Amino acid sequence: MKAEKDDVVSGSTTDKSRLTIIAFVSFLTGAFLMSAFLTVGRRDWPSYLLSQPNTKPNTKPISTSPIQLQSILHYATSKITPQQSLQEITVSFNVLRQISPCNFLVFGLGYDSLMWASLNPNGLTLFLEESPEWVTTVLKDAPFLNAKTVSYRTHLKEADRLLASYRDEPYCLPGKAYLKGNRKCRLALESLPDDVYEREWDVIMIDAPRGYAPEQPGRMAAIFSAAVLARSRKRVGNTHVYLHDVDRKVEKMFAKEFLCMKYKVGGVGRLWHFEIPPNNSSGTNFC
């Protein structure tokens, strides 16, 4: 995702950790796209990428798509690295390898967007970004990405108050909570593109909006809205929700309140992985 400070992800990378990420992303994309889609057997996969069994065995070769080839070229030549670490990317990769093609909703747009889109070949990957200027910048180099601008009604400085008071609004509560047009619940993202409301999402990645300064939106509404989307699922199966930057107070508090630790199935570094089942129960608690 887009770095939250200009100096978090820079265009000049000389330290070993950044070079490691560049090498990993290049290998990850190349190995996944070329080996997974152009070969049938599992024996070609490195052992650390086989930590979870593939539930969709390959029966025939699948053609590599243009976005996959573009991703290989981009990460093999770029000095700009994704914000997530090698280990964090691998957690999401393992699930996408199993369930793709799928509906993949990503809060944030940035240096790793081309990678996420290429790891969901033939599926729908939609990026939601708060900054129109940043959307324009990214799409200049990757116009084939599906990215939409969204607005937020919250500020990070309001996080404690929003968490303490949301139960006072019935349309924030399980059983009545909804998103589209829900002006009464400030945690509901009520004006997202219709594409978001019209689909059921198999995977949701929350790595935006910005949440390191008081006046910024924070990720409170994104976390709440992801929980509502997951709980309203009608199709069989759970929704995979990934939340980045859980080392920060607000992300951790809102994850515990709305995504629920009983649904946490893994995580590494600053990333938590939840599998949230459909749930239309009423009450005052999401968990």
Side-chain angles (χ1 to χ4, degrees), residues 216-286:
Q216 293 171 349
R219 297 183 186 168
M220 303 85 69
I223 294 170
F224 174 87
S225 297
V228 172
L229 289 170
R231 290 168 64 90
S232 62
R233 182 184 177 98
K234 300 295 189 297
R235 290 189 296 159
V236 174
N238 299 334
T239 303
H240 295 271
V241 178
Y242 295 94
L243 175 62
H244 198 225
D245 295 318
V246 294
D247 56 318
R248 302 193 301 206
K249 174 185 174 182
V250 169
E251 278 80 355
K252 187 172 294 184
M253 287 194 313
F254 277 73
K256 291 179 178 179
E257 183 72 17
F258 297 112
L259 302 180
C260 310
M261 297 307 288
K262 65 183 178 182
Y263 299 139
K264 180 174 174 286
V265 296
V268 64
R270 297 181 294 148
L271 184 81
W272 280 354
H273 175 201
F274 300 83
E275 284 192 35
I276 302 179
N279 189 338
N280 294 312
S281 64
S282 59
T284 60
N285 297 314
F286 277 76

Side-chain angles (χ1 to χ4, degrees), residues 42 49-56 94 97-98:
R42 289 165 54 88
L49 294 179
L50 293 173
S51 59
Q52 298 184 16
N54 191 340
T55 58
K56 291 185 178 180
N94 284 333
R97 182 169 60 88
Q98 294 180 48

Side-chain angles (χ1 to χ4, degrees), residues 8 17 37 63 69 80 92 103 131-132 135 145 147 156 170 180 194 199 203 239 244 259 261 278:
V8 172
S17 62
F37 292 108
S63 298
L69 296 175
I80 301 176
S92 307
N103 292 333
S131 169
V135 171
L145 292 178
L156 184 65
K180 186 176 182 179
D194 286 340
R199 297 180 183 271
V203 182
T239 303
H244 198 225
L259 302 180
M261 297 307 288

Side-chain angles (χ1 to χ4, degrees), residues 62 65 94 121 142 148 178 205 276:
I62 301 176
S65 70
N94 284 333
K148 303 291 179 64
Y178 65 98
M205 173 77 71
I276 302 179

Side-chain angles (χ1 to χ4, degrees), residues 111-145:
Y111 302 125
D112 50 4
S113 297
L114 184 57
M115 177 188 66
W116 294 129
S118 69
L119 294 181
N120 186 31
N122 303 313
L124 173 67
T125 304
L126 174 60
F127 299 92
L128 303 179
E129 169 60 40
E130 62 173 305
S131 169
E133 295 79 13
W134 182 244
V135 171
T136 299
T137 298
V138 173
L139 294 188
K140 282 182 180 179
D141 295 327
F144 33 75
L145 292 178

Side-chain angles (χ1 to χ4, degrees), residues 38-258:
L38 300 180
T39 65
V40 176
R42 289 165 54 88
R43 64 184 178 275
D44 296 321
W45 283 94
S47 59
Y48 75 91
L49 294 179
L50 293 173
S51 59
Q52 298 184 16
N54 191 340
T55 58
K56 291 185 178 180
N58 293 318
T59 57
K60 61 181 179 179
I62 301 176
S63 298
T64 306
S65 70
I67 195 172
Q68 294 168 341
L69 296 175
Q70 180 68 26
S71 182
I72 295 172
L73 178 63
H74 172 78
Y75 290 112
T77 59
S78 176
K79 294 183 178 181
I80 301 176
T81 65
Q83 191 173 349
Q84 293 189 26
S85 70
L86 181 156
Q87 293 81 7
E88 291 166 349
I89 292 170
T90 303
V91 172
S92 307
F93 167 81
N94 284 333
V95 169
L96 288 170
R97 182 169 60 88
Q98 294 180 48
I99 69 174
S100 178
C102 64
N103 292 333
F104 185 15
L105 182 65
V106 184
F107 286 88
L109 181 71
Y111 302 125
D112 50 4
S113 297
L114 184 57
M115 177 188 66
W116 294 129
S118 69
L119 294 181
N120 186 31
N122 303 313
L124 173 67
T125 304
L126 174 60
F127 299 92
L128 303 179
E129 169 60 40
E130 62 173 305
S131 169
E133 295 79 13
W134 182 244
V135 171
T136 299
T137 298
V138 173
L139 294 188
K140 282 182 180 179
D141 295 327
F144 33 75
L145 292 178
N146 186 5
K148 303 291 179 64
T149 302
V150 300
S151 59
Y152 292 86
R153 295 183 288 164
T154 58
H155 300 284
L156 184 65
K157 63 184 180 182
E158 303 172 300
D160 289 336
R161 179 168 59 83
L162 288 169
L163 190 62
S165 63
Y166 82 91
R167 291 190 184 89
D168 297 333
E169 172 48 60
Y171 289 102
C172 285
L173 300 180
K176 289 189 177 182
Y178 65 98
L179 298 183
K180 186 176 182 179
N182 187 356
R183 298 289 301 177
K184 293 184 177 181
C185 178
R186 291 192 62 222
L187 287 172
L189 292 176
E190 90 294 351
S191 60
L192 295 174
D194 286 340
D195 289 356
V196 177
Y197 306 124
E198 293 169 356
R199 297 180 183 271
E200 293 191 351
W201 299 94
D202 304 296
V203 182
I204 302 175
M205 173 77 71
I206 306 169
D207 206 357
R210 295 168 299 162
Y212 60 84
E215 297 299 328
Q216 293 171 349
R219 297 183 186 168
M220 303 85 69
I223 294 170
F224 174 87
S225 297
V228 172
L229 289 170
R231 290 168 64 90
S232 62
R233 182 184 177 98
K234 300 295 189 297
R235 290 189 296 159
V236 174
N238 299 334
T239 303
H240 295 271
V241 178
Y242 295 94
L243 175 62
H244 198 225
D245 295 318
V246 294
D247 56 318
R248 302 193 301 206
K249 174 185 174 182
V250 169
E251 278 80 355
K252 187 172 294 184
M253 287 194 313
F254 277 73
K256 291 179 178 179
E257 183 72 17
F258 297 112

